[in-house]
Amino acid sequence: MEVFKGKAIFSGIAIGPVSFYAKDQMQVKRQRIEDADAEINRYEAAKATAMEQLGELYEKAVKEVGESGAQIFEVHQMMLEDDDYNESVYSIIKTQMVNAEYAVATTGDNFSEMFAAMEDEYFRARAADMKDISERILSVLTGGGQAKISDEPSIIVADDLAPSETVQFDKSKLLGFVTRHGSSNSHTAILARTMNIPALIQIDIQESWNGKMAIIDGFTGDFYIDPTDAVMEVYQAKKTEQEERRKLLATQKGKPTVTKSGKAVKLFANIGSVSDLASVLENDAGGIGLFRSEFLYLQSDTYPTEEEQFKAYKMVAETMAGKKVIIRTLDIGADKQVDYFNLDKEENPAMGLRALRICLTRPEIFKTQLRALLRASAYGNIAIMYPMVTSVEEVHRIKEIVAEVKAELDAASIKYADVEQGVMIETPAAVIISDLLAKEVDFFSIGTNDLTQYTLAIDRQNPNLDEFYNEKHEAVLRMIEMVVDNAHKEGIWAGICGELGANMSLTERFMAMGVDELSVSPTFILPIRQIIRDYDGPTK
Ligand code: PEP
Ligand code: MG
């Protein structure tokens, strides 16, 4: 037996034979050509076929993993239409008088290297997508590049997997996957999570494993090759336990989230876009506690219009059918940069012009979003929440702007509801003055990701600080309790929408503190509901 350590990107146990997945390496030769236009036409034809293939993959993926998992194929279509990418291919063909295959391979390598060198982890993960789209065109041009996997249910072991490959595998045959490359932010990792497949990355894979029995432990990151009988027995038992647990969790669907002493807790979901809604419904969330609206801005090349935003918010409100939908106003800046905002490069972006600070300094952007939100509020139970608040004065300024927007809507006889408005508590300043803020708003939602960063003075983006980062730091936990107490004194509710809210080792402590709402990734809803329903300790 051999054991290898990797990084788990989705938990769970998989047991089965290894199917080694090796792509036929497409040999791309550099060949001189006479007619550049004819070569460009070949490229355009191959691109058109690749676009069609991506359209078909999108349809297939929507059926298998839902819209959010399938979105990557739309992104690939967009990447294929990218002007810079296409200009590079044309220019290599024309200036070097070479074949389309060579121009595509070179462009793919250059662009992928460029993305790999970027600081932002999200963009680094796009390097794999760049390779994927280039390989797709190459396989159309050369008629090759298709790889085979075993017909038996197996654990796929590969150097790397492109999203298009992950989704093409027959799900009933895919027990799990293990790769040498890849990052936890890559779309392949996101797909693995959406498809509920245990997966490990960063393992030094070997072709000699093909056909051997293996175990993925998606909790510890361990990968066993040729496990002993004793290890096999332990993991068979764990797997059965996991399946039992999944069945048990399904029994939590439709049940109210209430502690044994009768305190009803709002158990809501965090989402980034409308495509996450399927998972919200599937996991029976009581509402949406954090819609990170900035993703509408991040996905766009220019400011999303009022109409575009209105449609997105209305769709979420309608889909949630009367359940609360808390939409956070844009939190651009810091780690979420958008070119068209033309923000100055800052020494210290986490403490820079971000979130509410942008909204207050560029009220025209803020007002467009507020109009869209208020208009959509006529179609469901929308609440608005403001990020990165540090003072009561800021809340007053928000109120003035909201009043202006409402007056404009009134003048135009446009309907809107009396929306609840809350603030995120994600700065130590907001915690300390939460008694004052509580007099101004309808609810608090504690953003523990930023609150921990600002309290412990640890940049949440810096992986070198992991050893100093204690997400369960007593300072943060005491702050949460203080915020909840101050909220209750003014008769408003307080919840947690940062990642800490999903830390199940703290759920009981949150109940004891009197936390009224937890907003977590959809897959955490049912396990947390179970803990809350079993909780028989005190609540405030
Ligand atoms: C937080 O800071 O905890 C939060 C929920 O906001 P974000 O992670 O989007 O900054
Ligand atoms: Mg935050």
Side-chain angles (χ1 to χ4, degrees):
M1 177 176 86
E2 284 181 290
V3 191
F4 300 84
K5 189 97 190 150
K7 192 167 168 195
I9 52 175
F10 188 69
S11 60
I13 308 287
I15 304 176
V18 167
S19 174
F20 196 85
Y21 178 80
K23 285 180 230 190
D24 290 346
Q25 283 304 320
M26 276 176 283
Q27 293 297 335
V28 175
K29 291 209 184 80
R30 184 176 197 275
Q31 284 169 339
R32 284 200 59 81
I33 47 117
E34 298 298 327
D35 185 348
D37 287 340
E39 208 54 24
I40 288 176
N41 287 343
R42 269 188 75 226
Y43 166 68
E44 286 298 342
K47 197 173 81 180
T49 308
M51 290 293 261
E52 266 174 42
Q53 289 178 351
L54 287 166
E56 286 161 16
L57 280 170
Y58 175 81
E59 297 300 328
K60 181 174 188 298
V62 167
K63 284 192 204 110
E64 290 192 357
V65 296
E67 242 179 74
S68 75
Q71 235 179 11
I72 180 61
F73 300 110
E74 284 189 323
V75 174
H76 280 193
Q77 284 181 322
M78 269 154 49
M79 286 168 113
L80 272 180
E81 283 182 331
D82 179 66
D83 284 345
D84 292 332
Y85 183 91
N86 284 297
E87 283 303 326
S88 163
V89 174
Y90 301 153
S91 152
I92 293 175
I93 293 176
K94 280 198 244 169
T95 56
Q96 302 182 34
M97 292 304 281
V98 287
N99 52 332
E101 288 85 342
Y102 178 81
V104 170
T106 309
T107 302
D109 286 348
N110 291 346
F111 276 64
S112 141
E113 250 174 63
M114 176 179 78
F115 276 108
M118 286 189 170
E119 260 181 36
D120 185 298
E121 205 182 322
Y122 176 82
F123 284 113
R124 273 207 309 277
R126 299 291 73 76
D129 296 319
M130 226 55 240
K131 269 211 148 70
D132 198 7
I133 61 159
S134 305
E135 280 172 10
R136 176 167 302 285
I137 303 186
L138 282 176
S139 75
V140 177
L141 282 167
T142 60
Q146 296 301 324
K148 295 241 171 309
I149 59 160
S150 159
D151 284 339
E152 299 301 314
S154 48
I155 293 174
I156 306 294
V157 170
D159 217 38
D160 204 355
L161 286 173
S164 56
E165 291 166 320
T166 319
V167 78
Q168 276 180 91
F169 293 137
D170 180 349
K171 230 179 127 188
S172 63
K173 308 262 165 63
L174 183 56
L175 300 174
F177 68 76
V178 173
T179 63
R180 188 195 306 275
H181 302 295
S183 74
S184 25
N185 239 345
S186 65
H187 274 112
T188 301
I190 296 168
L191 277 173
R193 288 185 205 115
T194 322
M195 298 202 288
N196 271 316
I197 296 169
L200 306 179
I201 55 172
Q202 295 167 16
I203 287 200
D204 206 5
I205 58 154
Q206 296 166 26
E207 197 162 353
S208 60
W209 295 345
N210 200 22
K212 291 189 175 171
M213 202 54 175
I215 299 175
I216 294 178
D217 184 334
F219 299 99
T220 62
D222 289 331
F223 185 52
Y224 296 81
I225 290 285
D226 271 341
T228 60
D229 288 349
V231 168
M232 195 65 156
E233 216 173 286
V234 170
Y235 274 98
Q236 290 285 14
K238 274 196 190 171
K239 191 159 182 288
T240 314
E241 190 186 288
Q242 180 195 316
E243 276 154 14
E244 292 296 315
R245 183 154 173 73
R246 210 170 273 161
K247 276 191 219 145
L248 201 71
L249 284 178
T251 65
Q252 296 293 320
K253 281 194 190 174
K255 301 232 168 102
T257 310
V258 181
T259 65
K260 287 230 183 302
S261 63
K263 172 166 170 130
V265 178
K266 301 181 217 302
L267 186 52
F268 290 175
N270 292 349
I271 63 167
S273 75
V274 288
S275 58
D276 294 332
L277 283 175
S279 181
V280 172
L281 299 179
E282 164 74 21
N283 288 286
D284 193 30
I288 288 172
L290 168 64
F291 178 1
R292 289 182 161 97
S293 71
E294 60 273 11
F295 282 91
L296 291 174
Y297 295 74
L298 289 166
Q299 285 157 3
S300 177
D301 292 337
T302 179
Y303 297 101
T305 61
E306 178 184 321
E307 209 50 36
E308 282 164 348
Q309 295 191 56
F310 164 69
K311 272 194 192 144
Y313 305 146
K314 172 173 174 277
M315 195 250 183
V316 178
E318 284 175 343
T319 308
M320 292 307 289
K323 289 181 178 164
K324 174 105 24 230
V325 174
I326 303 177
I327 302 179
R328 167 172 83 183
T329 56
L330 64 97
D331 186 3
I332 294 293
D335 56 323
K336 299 179 204 130
Q337 291 292 337
V338 181
D339 282 352
Y340 57 83
F341 271 70
N342 288 322
L343 297 171
D344 289 340
K345 195 157 172 37
E346 293 173 310
E347 280 288 311
N348 224 332
M351 299 197 194
L353 189 62
R354 65 173 284 198
L356 185 63
R357 296 169 185 180
I358 296 182
C359 292
L360 294 178
T361 46
R362 301 192 187 175
E364 65 294 349
I365 299 176
F366 193 31
K367 282 173 112 177
T368 303
Q369 180 168 38
L370 289 171
R371 276 180 69 95
L373 284 167
L374 287 169
R375 282 175 55 200
S377 71
Y379 298 84
N381 189 357
I382 284 183
I384 307 179
M385 148 164 113
Y386 306 99
M388 283 293 292
V389 167
T390 59
S391 70
V392 172
E393 291 68 36
E394 284 167 351
V395 178
H396 289 162
R397 285 170 69 189
I398 294 170
K399 285 184 174 173
E400 278 164 25
I401 297 175
V402 172
E404 280 173 34
V405 174
K406 283 185 176 173
E408 285 166 19
L409 292 173
D410 289 339
S413 305
I414 297 175
K415 287 182 301 177
Y416 55 87
D418 187 15
V419 291
E420 273 193 41
Q421 295 179 77
V423 288
M424 288 190 70
I425 303 288
E426 42 186 358
T427 62
V431 174
I432 303 294
I433 59 162
S434 51
D435 56 334
L436 305 176
L437 290 171
K439 297 185 200 302
E440 302 286 338
V441 296
D442 301 313
F443 64 90
F444 286 155
S445 186
I446 307 172
T448 50
N449 308 337
D450 277 314
L451 184 59
T452 307
Q453 136 164 295
Y454 297 127
T455 304
L456 304 188
I458 286 186
D459 177 358
R460 64 193 262 197
Q461 297 290 106
N462 187 339
N464 299 329
L465 297 175
D466 277 1
E467 67 172 298
F468 300 101
Y469 187 87
N470 173 7
E471 60 173 358
K472 288 157 72 168
H473 197 292
E474 201 53 35
V476 176
L477 294 172
R478 288 187 195 181
M479 284 180 162
I480 294 174
E481 186 155 24
M482 180 174 168
V483 170
V484 174
D485 286 345
N486 282 333
H488 289 179
K489 275 183 208 146
E490 290 300 329
I492 65 169
W493 61 264
I496 302 174
C497 65
E499 295 301 300
L500 196 66
N503 187 319
M504 288 184 270
S505 68
L506 291 172
T507 311
E508 294 191 339
R509 180 142 179 209
F510 292 149
M511 292 302 102
M513 287 178 183
V515 171
D516 304 292
E517 179 235 29
L518 291 172
S519 189
V520 297
S521 291
T523 46
F524 285 99
I525 300 273
L526 295 175
I528 293 179
R529 176 172 295 158
Q530 188 167 39
I531 302 176
I532 294 176
R533 287 173 58 83
D534 287 344
Y535 177 74
D536 58 4
T539 57
K540 284 201 231 165

